[in-house]
Structure formats: C-alpha cells, structure tokens
Amino acid sequence: MASLTGLTLSMARAAETRLAVVFSGGHDTDPRDRGRPVNLVAAALGVTSEVFREAFSGVTPARRDGGPTREEARSNKAALMKVLSPHGVTNERLDEVSNYYRYRRERGEMWRNTAAQAEAVFENDVLKRIEIKEAGAGYSSPPVATIEGKKNLQLNVTLTFDKDLKKNGSIAKIEAAPAAK
C-alpha cells in the first residue's frame, strides 16, 4: 500500500508545473510629483500622499548647478517640518526616509528597490496558485506581471505600503484577472 501512496504522490507531482512570474515596470509616479516616489515617501513617514505634497509645496527647488544654499536648505527643512511634525514626523525620520529614496533621475538612477520573485503553480495546465518567493520593495505602482509561456493569462498585482523601508511598496498579492466577457 505504501508504494501505491508513493506512486499516487509521484503522479500528482508530475501533473504540477511551476512557471516563473516575470515583473516589469512598477516605478510610475504621479505627474504632479515630477518623478518623486511620493507614495513611498509618504507611507514611510506615516502620512498620506496629500499631506506630503502639501509639505513639499513649501520647498524651493534646488538649483541645477550644485543644490540649495545652506540657507535654502534650512528654509526647505522648516517648510517640510511645519506640515509634517503635527503628524508625528521627526526631523531624524524625515532625513532617514529622504536619504533612503534619494536618487538622481538625470543620471539614470532609480530610488532603492528590490525586485519581486514569484512562481505560478499549474496542475494539468490550470492555474492553482501563485507563490510569492520575494515580495520586493520600492514599487510605486503595480508592476506588470506575466507568466512565462502564458501571455494570454492576465494577472493583477496588489501592493502594500508600509513605514518599514524594506517592505514599503512590496507585493501583497497576485491574482489571475477575471476572464474578459
């Protein structure tokens, strides 16, 4: 009987196929934010994107030839903290989050991010589940997810935003999209 059970398990495993889920994109930003990942920064600070935009509206942009002067930097920090401190954001946390997501778009850089990894599990060519192996981080918009060899199968990706910088903008869920009618 044990060999029959082993044979049955072996047959079940043979019917299971695992295919890689491929992610692309996921770093779109709201046009109002001029390339800044405001939703990531706001979530890390524990405020809404609208609150962060309000805070940032008081900032004088840095000059292209070397950044703000010391006085401009001081004035910008005061403008940010005036709006953010009533929400419990400290100067230290603002610096930590700002430095974490700092990047120079003009140099082709991207803010810190970690690529997600997942596998789609099929049984007899039917999608049974998607296993997230690495949730990634730093996605500002849901990436496009496809399954190798299954281009007609549409997937929906749900992100989660968090104060934890290593989890902020990570993939919470991947589901097959409902079939088009």
Side-chain angles (χ1 to χ4, degrees):
M1 193 65 141
S3 64
L4 181 60
T5 304
L7 180 61
T8 304
L9 286 174
S10 176
M11 288 172 57
R13 286 190 189 116
E16 183 178 280
T17 305
R18 293 176 170 271
L19 298 173
V21 175
V22 178
F23 298 97
S24 61
H27 302 105
D28 297 329
T29 59
D30 188 304
R32 295 176 290 177
D33 301 328
R34 296 186 176 108
R36 289 184 297 273
V38 166
N39 57 347
L40 291 169
V41 173
L45 293 174
V47 300
T48 65
S49 293
E50 290 72 27
V51 166
F52 186 75
R53 284 186 190 106
E54 178 188 343
F56 209 84
S57 70
V59 169
T60 302
R63 300 171 315 214
R64 293 197 182 270
D65 61 348
T69 65
R70 193 173 290 214
E71 183 51 42
E72 288 169 333
R74 215 179 344 258
S75 176
N76 286 343
K77 180 62 74 93
L80 288 166
M81 292 309 299
K82 178 180 178 183
V83 175
L84 296 173
S85 62
H87 295 276
V89 177
T90 64
N91 183 58
E92 293 75 21
R93 181 62 176 171
L94 177 59
D95 286 347
E96 177 186 17
V97 171
S98 296
N99 289 334
Y100 189 86
Y101 289 112
R102 191 175 316 281
Y103 77 107
R104 292 172 292 218
R105 186 172 39 163
E106 68 278 2
R107 292 188 182 177
E109 294 177 1
M110 173 60 64
W111 57 83
R112 281 193 204 182
N113 61 80
T114 303
Q117 297 175 11
E119 285 183 333
V121 180
F122 289 85
E123 288 180 16
N124 300 318
D125 208 34
V126 175
L127 178 64
K128 291 297 180 183
R129 65 187 177 280
I130 298 176
E131 296 176 358
I132 299 171
K133 303 295 186 184
E134 164 60 57
Y139 290 106
S140 56
S141 60
V144 174
T146 56
I147 300 171
E148 289 183 351
K150 305 285 185 182
K151 299 216 185 274
N152 292 334
L153 184 58
Q154 300 294 310
L155 301 176
N156 291 329
V157 176
T158 303
L159 298 178
T160 187
F161 295 94
D162 196 290
K163 284 185 171 184
D164 182 339
L165 296 170
K166 302 285 188 201
K167 295 179 182 176
N168 194 17
S170 62
I171 293 179
K173 183 170 47 172
I174 306 168
E175 298 176 303
K181 293 181 179 182

